[in-house]
Amino acid sequence: MSEIKSVAIAGASGNVGPHVLKGLAEAKFQVTVLTRSKKPGAYDSSIRVIEVDYTSVESLTAALQGIDALVSTVGGTAIESQTTIIDAAIAAGVKRFIPSEYGNCTTNPKLESFPVYSSMAKIRQHVQEKAKAGKITWTVLACGGFLDFLFARPILFDFGNHKVTLYDEGDNRMSSTSLPNIGKAIAGILKNAAATKNRIVRTSEIILTQNKILKIAQGLRPDIKWEINTVQTSSILKEGLEGISAGDFSTPTFMKIIISTALAGDVYGCAYDETDNELLGIKELTEKDFEKLIAERLG
């Protein structure tokens, strides 16, 4: 397909968006940020910023004129509203759409009916139907867990208090990629438009397990005594689903569903033994780099 030069981003101010923006800018794409309200100085002067109404196909269509690709990094409740973004992209003649679906098991068919995952599946199915009709092309980036979040927050380990809760005994494998490399991967997808057309692309800086991290941590700091507990991901998932059924739509309840599936290892295909790293220009972490990352958390 023809070369992609101009790229628009929806949701550029969230967790993933700034890194995608940087990755695209460094790859020399012409970048446009779609925003609900312009804030002076929020972006570099080289970035075009357009104020849009995300509920209006007309507003979005006007903003997307002359755009080759649209990358969505919207979060939370805005996931399902991407149907409007897709329809506007088609009306404007956008060639490629990348939906906001950045995780490790979001594309697993077993999870399509689950809360959180069902919204992503709905958007993926919508753009796939449009692609079959020849109206647009799509790519989904499966990137594993965000490496930055996993080490900065007490998800896999509570480094500050030297506590760890091992999920299913701690040997579940999970792919993980840092946010800067997710941005680089998005640029890699668009630089290789033909090779990434209408498919799921996978990137993984490292496949980790909690026991691997614990072993390295104990080797680096044998003086630290870890408080170790275990929990079954199936039990956490059951709690989360029962909470939703009972009408509890709180963040902790949704997090139970996300954590219990994303950390369940091979049950939901959380580790990528085959990746598109080379195509996207992503280098895997060396053991030395991984040890350095753990050492920094240990202080």
Side-chain angles (χ1 to χ4, degrees):
M1 65 184 295
S2 58
E3 186 181 0
I4 289 175
K5 296 180 180 178
S6 57
V7 186
I9 305 176
S13 61
N15 291 319
V16 179
H19 299 279
V20 170
L21 176 59
K22 184 178 180 182
L24 292 172
E26 289 179 347
K28 306 303 180 184
F29 285 101
Q30 300 164 16
V31 184
T32 297
V33 168
L34 305 181
T35 182
R36 285 188 177 86
S37 59
K38 287 184 180 180
K39 297 178 182 178
Y43 301 100
D44 187 85
S45 58
S46 64
I47 304 299
R48 186 170 68 141
V49 181
I50 300 179
E51 199 168 292
V52 297
D53 177 357
Y54 275 110
T55 67
S56 167
V57 172
E58 291 76 15
S59 172
L60 288 163
T61 300
L64 292 170
Q65 294 299 314
I67 298 294
D68 297 323
L70 173 58
V71 182
S72 176
T73 58
V74 300
T77 55
I79 294 294
E80 287 200 19
S81 68
Q82 289 175 107
T83 52
T84 305
I85 299 175
I86 294 167
D87 293 345
I90 291 170
V94 173
K95 303 168 188 173
R96 177 68 52 89
F97 178 69
I98 300 177
S100 185
E101 186 175 345
Y102 308 99
N104 61 356
C105 58
T106 64
T107 59
N108 192 307
K110 296 179 183 177
L111 299 174
E112 286 186 358
S113 63
F114 284 34
V116 180
Y117 295 105
S118 60
S119 296
M120 296 181 187
K122 178 182 177 182
I123 296 305
R124 195 183 332 115
Q125 289 160 7
H126 184 73
V127 74
Q128 286 172 345
E129 288 173 5
K130 301 298 182 181
K132 285 179 182 177
K135 296 180 178 180
I136 199 167
T137 65
W138 61 273
T139 308
V140 167
L141 176 62
C143 55
F146 299 163
L147 192 61
D148 324 59
F149 284 11
L150 293 176
F151 277 81
R153 303 176 182 182
I155 299 173
L156 296 179
F157 275 74
D158 183 346
F159 286 101
N161 296 305
H162 304 142
K163 295 180 180 180
V164 57
T165 297
L166 299 177
Y167 296 97
D168 303 327
E169 314 306 324
D171 286 322
N172 290 349
R173 303 186 313 136
M174 178 176 65
S175 280
S176 185
T177 305
S178 66
L179 286 165
N181 270 336
I182 289 171
K184 186 176 181 180
I186 291 292
I189 287 171
L190 299 178
K191 284 191 291 185
N192 297 278
T196 60
K197 177 183 176 182
N198 296 341
R199 73 182 185 93
I200 299 165
V201 172
R202 292 178 172 82
T203 185
S204 173
E205 254 181 280
I206 189 167
I207 293 178
L208 52 80
T209 70
Q210 286 181 293
N211 280 334
K212 179 178 181 178
I213 296 171
L214 182 59
K215 184 178 179 181
I216 292 172
Q218 289 174 328
L220 291 170
R221 289 287 303 276
D223 56 304
I224 294 176
K225 302 302 178 185
W226 290 88
E227 181 183 322
I228 302 173
N229 296 295
T230 59
V231 67
Q232 298 300 304
T233 52
S234 57
S235 298
I236 301 173
L237 178 58
K238 185 171 181 287
E239 288 178 13
L241 294 175
E242 287 177 347
I244 294 293
S245 297
D248 179 3
F249 302 108
S250 65
T251 299
T253 298
F254 280 115
M255 285 306 297
K256 286 180 181 178
I257 296 171
I258 294 171
I259 288 174
S260 62
T261 50
L263 302 183
D266 295 332
V267 174
Y268 298 114
C270 297
Y272 314 145
D273 293 306
E274 294 183 7
T275 72
D276 296 282
N277 285 351
E278 187 174 348
L279 175 67
L280 303 178
I282 303 300
K283 292 182 179 179
E284 294 181 8
L285 272 181
T286 64
E287 288 296 322
K288 187 175 181 180
D289 287 337
F290 191 48
E291 287 184 10
K292 183 180 178 182
L293 187 63
I294 296 170
E296 289 171 353
R297 300 306 304 167
L298 292 172

